[in-house]
Amino acid sequence: MIGEDFRFGSTWLSDFDMKMYDPSNEQAFPEIAIEKSDMSSQLSKPNHFGVYYSDVLTLEFFILKSYELFNTQDEFLLTGDDINTLRAWLESPKVPTELYVTNNEIEESTYYYGIFTNISPFVVSGNCYGLHLVFTCDSPYGYSEEKTVTHTFGVSEYTATLVFNNLSSEKNEYLKPTITVISRSTFGSGETLSITNQSDNRNVMSINIPEGIETLIIDCDRKIVKDGDGNLIPVNEIGLTTPVSSEYNFISADSFLFYWLSLVYGENQLSVELSVTNTVDEIEISGKYIMKTGGF
């Protein structure tokens, strides 16, 4: 079974006294395709360049009124108003939205992101007793809940060690985290932050902290930096350089070599160093890793 209950957006299926039930079709996982060269008379063994998923993950299941709450056949019927309310909830989002599925058989919770692309009635003798749902994810897999490691700095402390355990199902891929740096009041002039991932060849991410802001948010996946109000911070303010000539459409050497913190599979030993003390109050490193469990 795919699960017992789910939350889509901010609403639970159980709010409607309904439960999830097994789909009519067996769950299928996306296939992996191979990127390779063509075969020819001179090349009997094609060159392999990599692999990619042929499609995103699709989940199917029924929702019916809970047999634990209703007894007679008439009580299980869905009225026109019931169907309208359910479809308004499930079909209104136009962009990928979080689907959280609870399943007592799986220890780790799985979060999916996507859209309900097909909703059809489950009809018996002309009456609707439930809905068949098709949820199309925005990726070939689900994700864990957000994992966060935090360190609070003492007034005279400028170094810290954090450990982030990346248990992603993609063992050969990086997890690109989000880093949140919170000041005691506001950041001063000339402050810098360095994070060394001892587990990733001791690579170092070093950033200049803009003066006067209270919070710095570094999104290593999207490669953007914001303040606490969500305002984007230009890359030249954090130490990345911009192209010298507008004739070039690529970034300069300094920018190209910039290391955005990347987490390898397994345990990551992270060393944090501040240029001054008594300014940074807290640092958080968070991320959701890929999960390929669930879905059936």
Side-chain angles (χ1 to χ4, degrees):
M1 176 183 285
I2 190 172
E4 288 80 25
D5 194 8
F6 70 81
R7 183 187 65 221
F8 185 60
S10 59
T11 305
W12 287 90
L13 177 65
S14 54
D15 293 341
F16 302 96
D17 296 328
M18 303 186 75
K19 291 185 67 174
M20 303 172 68
Y21 292 89
D22 292 334
S24 55
N25 301 322
E26 291 186 1
Q27 176 66 51
F29 297 133
E31 295 183 358
I32 292 179
I34 302 174
E35 278 189 309
K36 59 185 178 180
S37 64
D38 294 331
M39 298 177 66
S40 67
S41 59
Q42 304 298 319
L43 187 66
S44 58
K45 180 181 178 181
N47 296 316
H48 283 63
F49 306 119
V51 298
Y52 63 93
Y53 288 97
S54 60
D55 206 347
V56 296
L57 178 64
T58 300
L59 306 175
E60 296 187 37
F61 46 91
F62 286 105
I63 58 171
L64 292 83
K65 289 187 176 180
S66 175
Y67 65 87
E68 299 168 347
L69 301 175
F70 301 95
N71 299 311
T72 67
Q73 184 173 349
D74 288 343
E75 288 180 315
F76 282 93
L77 288 173
L78 291 182
T79 66
D81 287 342
D82 291 335
I83 296 172
N84 178 68
T85 301
L86 290 166
R87 292 187 65 187
W89 164 42
L90 299 173
E91 293 180 338
S92 289
K94 302 301 187 289
V95 295
T97 302
E98 182 181 271
L99 174 72
Y100 168 55
V101 180
T102 62
N103 191 328
N104 295 330
E105 297 177 359
I106 300 175
E107 185 174 334
E108 182 87 27
S109 299
T110 306
Y111 296 77
Y112 304 96
Y113 296 86
I115 295 172
F116 283 98
T117 52
N118 186 281
I119 298 178
S120 54
F122 175 58
V123 178
V124 178
S125 301
N127 294 315
C128 179
Y129 287 93
L131 298 175
H132 176 256
L133 309 182
V134 178
F135 185 80
T136 302
C137 300
D138 67 349
S139 64
Y141 32 66
Y143 294 87
S144 70
E145 65 181 355
E146 187 165 75
K147 308 294 183 180
T148 303
V149 295
T150 304
H151 181 81
T152 301
F153 287 87
V155 292
S156 59
E157 187 179 14
Y158 65 93
T159 62
T161 300
L162 292 80
V163 177
F164 194 107
N165 200 17
N166 173 20
L167 301 179
S168 174
S169 297
E170 289 285 353
K171 294 186 175 182
N172 296 329
E173 304 292 332
Y174 282 119
L175 169 62
K176 301 297 183 67
T178 296
I179 304 162
T180 303
V181 188
I182 304 170
S183 70
R184 299 185 188 279
S185 55
T186 59
F187 294 111
S189 174
E191 294 189 42
T192 62
L193 163 74
S194 296
I195 303 178
T196 303
N197 189 347
Q198 308 289 349
S199 306
D200 185 27
N201 298 318
R202 299 179 61 85
N203 285 321
V204 182
M205 183 183 74
S206 183
I207 279 185
N208 298 334
I209 303 178
E211 182 181 359
I213 66 173
E214 299 177 359
T215 302
L216 182 70
I217 302 172
I218 307 163
D219 187 334
C220 297
D221 184 35
R222 299 168 62 195
K223 295 180 172 58
I224 60 175
V225 182
K226 301 181 293 184
D227 62 20
D229 295 324
N231 301 310
L232 290 174
I233 297 175
V235 293
N236 61 326
E237 291 188 20
I238 62 170
L240 279 73
T241 58
T242 53
V244 175
S245 172
S246 59
E247 297 178 1
Y248 295 96
N249 59 7
F250 53 83
I251 56 180
S252 67
D254 287 344
S255 297
F256 183 78
L257 296 174
F258 183 82
Y259 172 74
W260 296 89
L261 182 63
S262 304
L263 305 177
V264 299
Y265 175 76
E267 185 176 284
N268 290 261
Q269 295 281 344
L270 307 175
S271 301
V272 181
E273 184 173 351
L274 310 173
S275 60
V276 299
T277 61
N278 199 30
T279 299
V280 174
D281 179 45
E282 187 174 88
I283 184 169
E284 296 179 353
I285 299 178
S286 59
K288 298 179 179 181
Y289 50 73
I290 293 170
M291 292 184 63
K292 298 181 181 179
T293 185
F296 62 92

